[in-house]
Amino acid sequence: MTTFKRNILITGGAGFIGSHVVRLFVNKYPEYRIINLDKLTYAGNLANLKDIENLPNYVFIKADICDYEKMQELMELYHVDGIIHLAAESHVDRSIKDPFTFARTNVMGTLSLLQAAKVYWESLPEKYEGKRFYHISTDEVYGALEMTHPEGIEPPFTTTASSSEHHLAYGKDFFYEDTKYNPHSPYSASKASSDHFVRAFHDTYGMPTIVTNCSNNYGPYQFPEKLIPLFINNIRHRKPLPVYGKGENVRDWLYVEDHARAIDVIFHNGKTAETYNIGGFNEWKNIDIIKVVINTVDRLLGRKEGEDMDLITYVTDRLGHDMRYAIDSTKLQKELGWEPSLQFEEGIEKTVRWYLDNQEWMDNVTSGDYQKYYDSMYKGR
Ligand code: NAD
Ligand code: DAU
């Protein structure tokens, strides 16, 4: 029997970000056993991991994090000594329609995993030594920032990832690690609650926890309920592009592989009980990003650049729509030396190209219940 140097449980590893984290860890650390635990909800897809599924240090377990007995059993069975917890319900619009599912998975599921880890680790002679519970959270827990344009500077204020020292933004404020929690959607409220439970397990039991709060991710394998893949798919099929409100809301975008690299650095070198913000200083108004996506899809499909602009359709705004998110990731960059590797234009080009080259993946995830979801979310909006 192979003995592994570490046994790391990654939850939600069949989802968008999780699959990039699993791939990175399985390939980079052959000496670690990576146990991917996922319930395979509509958002989980094993096709995201085809390239690594047969590697000897990879194990997949289909399970629900809310199943406490199962979590306990797995901790013991695999001698889990590290947890990277990504499993969650992740889409804000769904949380507005069905908040209970979000409370169940994000709050109770996280608690179930925490308690199972606690009971198992406390039963070992070395207890919490060499252990880590790393919880992946979101910038949305901090609420929303105001748009206060810096004086004398004309839009666009967006900059590229590598120029973080000099970047300009849509407002003076940022989310810092000590920004007060102020969640507005059922999704962000459930994530905030789970963050509190994780920190409480450190403060009460001494569990070696870490929490990170990241900005919007984009890249391959994202489920097409989220802005960028949904719009790429619609442009391809020349379907309307439903822009919420005036399209003025600002999000701070990070390429998913850069998030996965940050998770690797923090899992190994982050300080216990600390919080790190992850983001690339890359703010975009929705309408501006949508125009970039339209131009890129058109160009790569051999259409006239911009010819699909008339697909833009302004629709009823999202309830409680947060105006602006902007992460300050200086702490992570200074203390742990991480920085984003991709310029935004490069990342978007890679992303659009990936979706266009992987139409079969898109067709598979948009078959089945997807049309029902789409109609319930957008029909008559
Ligand atoms: P996703 O929806 O693509 O994937 C979630 C995964 O969790 C899926 O594979 C799903 O099957 C699994 N899952 C859901 N409920 C489960 C349960 N009860 N038990 C086991 N597995 C379950 O989400 P994502 O965008 O990859 O986000 C991953 C994590 O990162 C989430 O915690 C999210 O809050 C956080 N996050 C996401 C972003 C982003 O931009 N996508 C940004 C910051 C933080
Ligand atoms: O900030 C991090 C968060 O980013 C993560 O925690 C969430 O899991 C992730 O889903 C994402 O949340 P957003 O709500 O910001 O992402 P979404 O892609 O749903 O929307 C991005 C912006 O685009 C937002 O302002 C709403 C707008 N939008 C979205 C959709 C799906 C539209 O205008 N039309 C749409 O059809």
Side-chain angles (χ1 to χ4, degrees):
M1 204 186 84
T2 324
T3 328
F4 291 94
K5 194 171 159 202
R6 297 205 67 167
N7 292 292
I8 300 170
L9 180 72
I10 300 183
T11 70
F16 166 48
I17 302 171
S19 61
H20 289 275
V21 177
V22 166
R23 176 176 296 100
L24 175 70
F25 273 69
V26 166
N27 285 324
K28 186 170 172 187
Y29 303 106
E31 70 277 23
Y32 294 176
R33 176 163 58 181
I34 302 303
I35 305 117
N36 172 13
L37 184 156
D38 199 296
K39 184 183 175 184
L40 299 183
T41 66
Y42 78 91
N45 185 356
L46 289 177
N48 298 359
L49 292 164
K50 274 259 161 280
D51 52 325
I52 56 116
E53 67 185 4
N54 293 321
L55 293 180
N57 63 334
Y58 173 70
V59 181
F60 174 70
I61 309 284
K62 184 174 186 307
D64 183 340
I65 52 168
C66 299
D67 183 346
Y68 175 62
E69 276 78 35
K70 185 79 182 173
M71 294 308 105
Q72 276 194 311
E73 183 194 312
L74 293 173
M75 296 288 162
E76 288 192 26
L77 183 65
Y78 289 104
H79 309 286
V80 171
D81 55 31
I83 297 175
I84 305 178
H85 175 38
L86 296 110
E89 289 293 336
S90 68
H91 190 38
V92 174
D93 291 329
R94 288 187 193 254
S95 82
I96 293 167
K97 284 207 186 276
D98 173 21
F100 282 112
T101 306
F102 283 69
R104 179 186 180 274
T105 296
N106 299 358
V107 185
M108 291 306 290
T110 300
L111 181 55
S112 148
L113 201 61
L114 279 163
Q115 181 70 8
K118 171 187 179 287
V119 169
Y120 173 56
W121 288 341
E122 287 188 354
S123 76
L124 301 173
E126 77 279 10
K127 311 251 183 246
Y128 288 122
E129 212 184 299
K131 310 295 188 296
R132 173 141 286 181
F133 189 108
Y134 178 0
H135 177 61
I136 306 298
S137 193
T138 169
D139 59 359
E140 300 202 10
V141 298
Y142 297 125
L145 295 164
E146 283 188 17
M147 303 272 274
T148 50
H149 294 169
E151 262 172 56
I153 297 165
E154 294 302 316
F157 302 118
T158 50
T159 55
T160 50
S162 56
S163 57
S164 56
E165 290 297 324
H166 312 287
H167 81 282
L168 304 168
Y170 279 104
K172 289 195 224 77
D173 294 333
F174 290 86
F175 294 137
Y176 302 98
E177 282 81 1
D178 58 0
T179 299
K180 198 168 149 270
Y181 273 32
N182 187 19
H184 298 131
S185 72
Y187 163 68
S188 52
S190 68
K191 290 296 290 187
S193 171
S194 64
D195 296 6
H196 291 319
F197 269 107
V198 173
R199 295 190 178 107
F201 267 61
H202 170 267
D203 296 350
T204 307
Y205 309 111
M207 183 180 281
T209 59
I210 269 196
V211 177
T212 57
N213 299 84
C214 188
S215 63
N216 285 63
N217 284 216
Y218 70 99
Y221 300 112
Q222 187 169 31
F223 193 79
E225 62 190 351
K226 309 281 165 55
L227 181 75
I228 290 181
L230 187 143
F231 278 34
I232 294 172
N233 194 39
N234 282 13
I235 298 163
R236 184 186 174 109
H237 295 291
R238 293 214 154 101
K239 281 174 63 180
L241 306 176
V243 180
Y244 297 165
K246 294 184 182 149
E248 295 275 305
N249 302 64
V250 169
R251 295 292 181 267
D252 183 358
W253 294 91
L254 181 69
Y255 191 67
V256 63
E257 287 178 5
D258 279 330
H259 188 188
R261 281 193 310 104
I263 290 172
D264 177 19
V265 169
I266 294 162
F267 179 79
H268 288 97
N269 304 324
K271 279 197 216 126
T272 293
E274 289 286 322
T275 298
Y276 298 90
N277 279 351
I278 309 174
F281 292 104
N282 182 42
E283 291 180 52
W284 286 78
K285 276 190 185 175
N286 290 343
I287 193 64
D288 292 334
I289 219 169
I290 289 162
K291 288 177 184 165
V292 173
V293 172
I294 294 173
N295 283 333
T296 313
V297 175
D298 282 349
R299 181 165 42 77
L300 292 178
L301 285 179
R303 299 177 186 169
K304 192 162 154 276
E305 211 168 284
E307 79 170 77
D308 286 312
M309 287 295 170
D310 59 357
L311 294 176
I312 291 177
T313 310
Y314 291 94
V315 301
T316 312
D317 209 351
R318 176 184 276 176
L319 295 175
H321 198 173
D322 286 336
M323 194 62 213
R324 170 178 172 246
Y325 302 145
I327 274 280
D328 185 301
S329 58
T330 308
K331 173 176 170 181
L332 171 62
Q333 302 204 12
K334 291 225 160 99
E335 289 185 15
L336 300 181
W338 170 90
E339 58 176 41
S341 66
L342 276 190
Q343 304 281 326
F344 186 64
E345 287 70 12
E346 211 183 321
I348 274 289
E349 173 98 14
K350 260 179 99 158
T351 301
V352 171
R353 202 180 281 283
W354 187 87
Y355 286 101
L356 297 181
D357 288 349
N358 289 276
Q359 192 56 37
E360 200 185 326
W361 181 93
M362 184 61 93
D363 291 344
N364 282 337
V365 300
T366 52
S367 63
D369 282 345
Y370 183 77
Q371 198 50 49
K372 249 193 265 162
Y373 162 79
Y374 200 91
D375 290 345
S376 78
M377 205 54 81
Y378 295 102
K379 222 175 183 172
R381 189 163 184 157

